Amino acid sequence: MYISRLFGYYYFLTLPRRIIMKRYLLFGFALWCLWQPLYASVEEYRQIDRELNAPFEEKLRHAIAKRIESASNEVRALYCQIDYHPVWVKYDALSANAMMLLGEIGDDLSHGALKSLKPAYEKMLKERESLSSQTPLERKVRIEFAMMQLYIDHINAIVAGTDSEHTPQSLLKAAVDNRSLLYAYNAVARERIEKRIPSAETNATMIDTETTEALRKGSDKARERALYRALGYRPVWVNETGLSAFAETLFKQIENDPIFDHDGPTYKRFQALKSAPLPKNKAQKLDWEFEINALYRDYMGYLLYGAIDWKRFSNALKKRYKHGVWDVHEVLLSPELLLVEAVKAGSLDHAFKKATPRFPAYKRLVAALLKYKHIAESGGWEKLPDFKDLKPGMQSNVVPLLRERLRIEGDYVSCEGVDGNSTLYDACLLDAVKRFQTRHGLNAEGYVGKKTRKALSETARHKYVRLRLSIARLKWLKRDTDRYHIVVNIPDYTVTVFDGWRVMEKMRVVVGRSGHETPVFYNRVSRIVLNPYWRIPASIVRNETIPKLKRDPGYTKKRKIEIHTGYSEHSPEINPYKVNWHKYGKRLPPYKFMQSPGEHNALGKVKFLFPNRYAVYMHDTPEKALFSRDIRAFSHGCVRLHRPYDMLEVFGKIDPKVDYDKAQEILKTNKKHPISLSRTVPIDIIYISAWADENGTVQFREDIYGYDALHIETAKWLPSLEG
């Protein structure tokens, strides 16, 4: 609908001038076209989601208040605090908060923590599968209460035995105020880490009772106290003869880390310890135990957390981007937890291995970083002068410079019989340009135009910094233990499905355009809807649908748009011929407009849901032509799939509840059909603009949202862009 409208505007604006007698009319019409809101805002879709759920939420709220006496005292207190508003159940499924709660508990259980929650957790998983819009209200109230009790039990289990100031009540209020349970779990991340620390059964020899007692009282830092308490107050880094095997492994690891900053204070502390004489008496050994532990804590902190200052970045993001979102889950690993596990395993290598991100691109990224670090330190490449567009067969003085520029980065390989000083854009250079364009997400056509010139202008130093930034971002991907993963990389405009981090499927996607940025966050796909409805946002109804209805009340029927009293397709339908549409100007009518299922539908034939507060999801689209573009940022924030049926087939291999053959038969009809998955699948929407692919080829993409620049600006430490 909108693409055809845009082509209409384009056709009008490109008519010969003689047809439009007054030039100011052309200018005025162009301004009018630019002013018209062809896209709905992100907030409008969120508002639709709220309105869709609002009638049910109010109904459930009254039911909660009516039946609250049947709940435990703790549950009653929490609902009283939030005026009985439902938190966990929506009209047809569990809420985003509920899905996060189940995900976090599942994560703890997979790490062997908080096992007492397992029976209630598994019961809620079964409830989730069978929940739908047809589930009786009485049962939804019971699920709401049970989820609230599970939340209370989870938070209480996390903070039990700690000096935490947090309670289920305080965290829930903050989560409701911030519209996300993520706030609550990030607040108790440190306590969760402590709960995951196992008891260390070690055969390490204690130096003596006096030293052990000193270790017990040697630090007032909570983390260090927790560490040595878990270790039974046994030393890790020193023994009777001097340095332990753990200390020697730590020193070797720091010395051989190819990407660790050798100019920073941690490396200088390491050099000082390494060159100092070995400790001899008990007092020196005690000092060394704490000194080396501090060195380990700082170095492991670097391995786990990287150089990103998330607080500064988040504050800057809120100020500069109206719809910019980058959710960060606290890393539920710590130097202390990993050290205790390493002592139990008998090797510090265990800690280093576990600290390494599981994402398959990590090791390839390190190799890419070293390559570009070497290029940058060797002087990079000479900046190309301004030049006009180049095509194969053309002569230009910039050709030898371009050839050398591409050689340094590895794209140009000399061909036999080709003069390196030739000014002819020959076949050998054409191959190099195509390789460069492919690596930068551009159409590999060999034509050196504006986009290619822009990519060529980036310095080696800047590329090196972007690769280092990518490594830092990978450290903050949520470390779950699931077999299957879905990863949407926004700057690459792709989605990849992994099985044990082996690629199952990869396809092109369309993501949010600038101003309607697709949020960066982690979630879990829990439902698939075949033949979905598209609920039309208010701005499109006001500026497009109503004007068309004024001219032709049959417009909605032609466009297969239904008019209802509410956003549910089960609400009463309105006959457009019985409404006086002329009385509505900018004022919206009291009706809701929905496009019925079918090939014509703006969401296509299938959508994949992962409940979240941003009202985004993955879906089909009838606008297939967009996938042939190299830059594919056109949506209002959702992720449009190039081959949604292939994605559906992948889910058929993952989940027994998805019968692909049966789904294909359903898709031949236009009847809505939701599928609740028996196992939710993690989905990471990430922003990585520099990486190395499966073949080791280093890839770069445009920083389409400006997030790279903002991260570099707000980082704790990154190499200077100037070198």
Side-chain angles (χ1 to χ4, degrees):
M1 175 162 49
Y2 310 117
I3 295 299
S4 62
R5 183 175 173 183
L6 283 172
F7 277 121
Y9 295 159
Y10 176 79
Y11 175 76
F12 182 92
L13 292 173
T14 54
L15 287 172
R17 284 185 184 174
R18 65 179 181 275
I19 297 177
I20 303 176
M21 302 303 294
K22 300 292 185 180
R23 292 185 181 182
Y24 70 86
L25 289 178
L26 177 63
F27 179 72
F29 185 76
L31 287 179
W32 179 83
C33 291
L34 292 172
W35 174 81
Q36 290 298 303
L38 298 174
Y39 288 87
S41 70
V42 175
E43 184 53 41
E44 282 186 280
Y45 281 96
R46 295 179 188 173
Q47 181 61 30
I48 287 174
D49 190 61
R50 288 192 289 269
E51 287 188 35
L52 177 62
N53 195 57
F56 166 77
E57 188 175 277
E58 189 60 23
K59 190 176 180 181
L60 184 58
R61 177 172 170 265
H62 286 295
I64 289 170
K66 184 177 179 180
R67 295 167 175 78
I68 194 66
E69 293 303 319
S70 64
S72 69
N73 289 337
E74 290 175 304
V75 169
R76 283 154 59 183
L78 260 66
Y79 279 113
C80 182
Q81 175 180 274
I82 58 175
D83 197 25
Y84 306 106
H85 281 286
V87 178
W88 314 107
V89 178
K90 295 181 68 174
Y91 77 101
D92 62 346
L94 291 182
S95 70
N97 283 330
M99 293 303 298
M100 181 174 290
L101 171 61
L102 292 175
E104 296 302 309
I105 294 174
D107 193 35
D108 283 337
L109 291 173
S110 69
H111 287 84
L114 313 180
K115 295 179 181 178
S116 63
L117 300 176
K118 188 173 182 179
Y121 163 76
E122 291 182 342
K123 183 178 180 181
M124 284 299 102
L125 290 183
K126 293 180 180 178
E127 294 281 16
R128 179 196 66 78
E129 283 186 53
S130 59
L131 193 61
S132 72
S133 59
Q134 306 304 313
T135 303
L137 184 65
E138 180 67 35
R139 185 177 161 211
K140 288 181 177 177
V141 173
R142 290 200 303 270
I143 294 173
E144 179 78 20
F145 287 168
M147 286 295 300
M148 185 67 85
Q149 187 65 59
L150 186 57
Y151 159 77
I152 292 169
D153 292 344
H154 191 212
I155 298 299
N156 282 336
I158 290 169
V159 301
T162 71
D163 55 1
S164 176
E165 62 184 7
H166 301 294
T167 66
Q169 289 80 5
S170 65
L171 290 174
L172 183 66
K173 185 178 187 308
V176 170
D177 291 344
N178 287 274
R179 295 177 58 197
S180 175
L181 202 62
L182 179 61
Y183 177 90
Y185 283 111
N186 279 346
V188 292
R190 180 56 50 195
E191 289 85 350
R192 287 181 75 186
I193 291 170
E194 285 192 34
K195 284 295 185 291
R196 293 184 179 190
I197 295 179
S199 299
E201 298 173 3
T202 174
N203 294 320
T205 304
M206 287 187 287
I207 299 174
D208 55 34
T209 305
E210 180 183 346
T211 304
T212 302
E213 186 64 21
L215 282 172
R216 184 191 301 270
K217 299 178 179 178
S219 173
D220 59 358
K221 298 176 183 177
R223 290 167 62 182
E224 204 155 45
R225 284 203 306 268
L227 168 66
Y228 282 103
R229 182 171 63 248
L231 292 171
Y233 303 103
R234 293 178 172 90
V236 177
W237 309 109
V238 298
N239 57 29
E240 292 179 346
T241 60
L243 294 182
S244 70
F246 271 51
E248 291 174 356
T249 301
L250 174 63
F251 284 10
K252 183 179 178 181
Q253 170 74 18
I254 294 174
E255 191 166 39
N256 295 331
D257 187 335
I259 63 173
F260 187 51
D261 175 25
H262 285 201
D263 296 323
T266 302
Y267 193 82
K268 291 176 181 177
R269 187 189 309 151
F270 153 70
Q271 287 181 311
L273 282 169
K274 185 184 177 185
S275 60
L278 291 175
K280 296 180 180 179
N281 58 47
K282 296 172 185 176
Q284 288 177 336
K285 289 178 180 179
L286 180 61
D287 288 342
W288 269 61
E289 176 71 23
F290 289 130
E291 283 287 335
I292 298 175
N293 192 62
L295 173 68
Y296 161 79
R297 186 177 63 241
D298 288 351
Y299 177 71
M300 185 57 80
Y302 144 77
L303 288 182
L304 285 174
Y305 312 126
I308 295 176
D309 188 328
W310 286 109
K311 186 175 182 180
R312 284 186 65 198
F313 173 78
S314 297
N315 289 337
L317 189 68
K318 290 176 183 177
K319 291 178 181 177
R320 301 186 196 181
Y321 294 82
K322 183 178 180 181
H323 299 300
V325 171
W326 194 310
D327 278 351
V328 179
H329 287 256
E330 289 292 328
V331 177
L332 292 181
L333 289 172
S334 71
E336 293 77 19
L337 169 61
L338 292 176
L339 183 56
V340 173
E341 289 186 355
V343 169
K344 199 168 184 178
S347 170
L348 192 60
D349 287 331
H350 171 89
F352 296 136
K353 183 178 180 181
K354 198 162 183 179
T356 302
R358 294 176 61 217
F359 198 71
Y362 182 77
K363 290 183 179 179
R364 300 194 297 266
L365 252 174
V366 171
L369 178 74
L370 294 177
K371 172 184 175 179
Y372 277 84
K373 181 181 180 184
H374 174 73
I375 292 174
E377 290 177 347
S378 299
W381 44 74
E382 185 179 345
K383 183 180 178 181
L384 295 174
D386 292 336
F387 63 96
K388 295 180 180 180
D389 295 355
L390 276 176
K391 294 180 181 179
M394 292 179 65
Q395 296 273 356
S396 172
N397 290 331
V398 82
V399 166
L401 300 175
L402 176 60
R403 196 178 282 123
E404 175 63 12
R405 160 72 180 81
L406 295 174
R407 183 197 65 77
I408 294 173
E409 208 166 351
D411 295 302
Y412 182 81
V413 180
S414 298
C415 299
E416 187 176 348
V418 173
D419 180 3
N421 295 317
S422 169
T423 59
L424 175 66
Y425 185 174
D426 54 31
C428 194
L429 180 57
L430 174 62
D431 289 340
V433 169
K434 286 183 175 181
R435 274 192 288 271
F436 179 86
Q437 289 172 330
T438 299
R439 291 196 308 110
H440 290 76
L442 303 171
N443 287 331
E445 55 193 4
Y447 175 81
V448 183
K450 182 179 179 181
K451 291 179 182 178
T452 303
R453 287 199 300 273
K454 181 180 179 182
L456 286 165
S457 69
E458 187 174 9
T459 67
R461 188 77 179 182
H462 194 267
K463 286 189 168 183
Y464 162 60
V465 172
R466 281 214 284 161
L467 286 162
R468 186 173 279 279
L469 188 60
S470 295
I471 288 176
R473 286 172 178 165
L474 287 186
K475 295 174 186 289
W476 286 85
L477 290 183
K478 189 170 174 63
R479 304 179 188 221
D480 56 51
T481 57
D482 293 76
R483 172 179 171 179
Y484 299 102
H485 292 82
I486 300 171
V487 178
V488 176
N489 188 7
I490 295 171
D492 191 33
Y493 310 107
T494 58
V495 58
T496 308
V497 184
F498 294 96
D499 177 358
W501 293 117
R502 293 186 303 275
V503 176
M504 284 183 73
E505 183 62 74
K506 186 173 184 177
M507 70 182 68
R508 293 185 166 204
V509 300
V510 168
V511 299
R513 61 195 177 98
S514 181
H516 298 271
E517 295 83 5
T518 295
V520 180
F521 69 113
Y522 169 93
N523 210 281
R524 303 182 74 90
V525 179
S526 59
R527 285 194 302 154
I528 300 171
V529 179
L530 309 179
N531 300 317
Y533 279 83
W534 176 48
R535 297 174 177 91
I536 305 175
S539 64
I540 295 175
V541 171
R542 179 186 292 112
N543 295 298
E544 183 149 331
T545 311
I546 299 301
K548 296 285 180 64
L549 280 170
K550 289 177 180 178
R551 293 193 294 270
D552 176 14
Y555 167 77
T556 50
K557 185 177 181 180
K558 294 174 185 175
R559 293 291 183 177
K560 295 182 172 58
I561 295 172
E562 299 175 7
I563 308 172
H564 289 259
T565 57
Y567 274 123
S568 170
E569 63 268 24
H570 303 297
S571 62
E573 197 165 350
I574 302 299
N575 185 340
Y577 288 94
K578 295 184 178 181
V579 177
N580 179 12
W581 299 109
H582 293 276
K583 70 178 182 180
Y584 299 108
K586 292 299 179 182
R587 183 169 60 91
L588 282 169
Y591 310 123
K592 306 303 177 185
F593 294 74
M594 295 184 288
Q595 194 172 35
S596 61
E599 296 288 350
H600 56 276
N601 190 281
L603 303 183
K605 293 285 286 180
V606 58
K607 67 178 180 178
F608 302 84
L609 297 174
F610 32 102
N612 59 85
R613 59 181 172 141
Y614 312 116
V616 302
Y617 40 84
M618 297 190 299
H619 67 87
D620 184 12
T621 175
E623 297 178 3
K624 303 297 185 184
L626 296 178
F627 295 104
S628 64
R629 305 282 294 272
D630 50 4
I631 305 299
R632 297 188 293 279
F634 297 108
S635 82
H636 66 271
C638 284
V639 177
R640 302 181 192 173
L641 299 169
H642 185 202
R643 294 181 278 106
Y645 282 28
D646 289 352
M647 182 65 77
L648 183 62
E649 187 175 11
V650 167
F651 272 90
K653 298 173 182 177
I654 292 175
D655 196 295
K657 291 191 72 175
V658 181
D659 185 328
Y660 181 64
D661 293 334
K662 183 179 178 181
Q664 284 185 306
E665 293 301 314
I666 294 171
L667 288 168
K668 291 176 183 177
T669 74
N670 288 328
K671 184 177 181 181
K672 179 181 173 182
H673 182 84
I675 303 171
S676 184
L677 302 180
S678 60
R679 63 170 78 177
T680 59
V681 181
I683 178 168
D684 271 295
I685 301 181
I686 66 174
Y687 194 94
I688 300 290
S689 66
W691 72 96
D693 64 21
E694 293 83 359
N695 300 316
T697 303
V698 188
Q699 302 280 342
F700 295 94
R701 297 295 183 268
E702 185 180 357
D703 181 17
I704 58 171
Y705 294 165
Y707 288 175
D708 285 358
L710 192 59
H711 256 148
I712 291 169
E713 178 187 328
T714 58
K716 294 176 184 175
W717 177 89
L718 280 173
S720 167
L721 292 176
E722 284 74 34

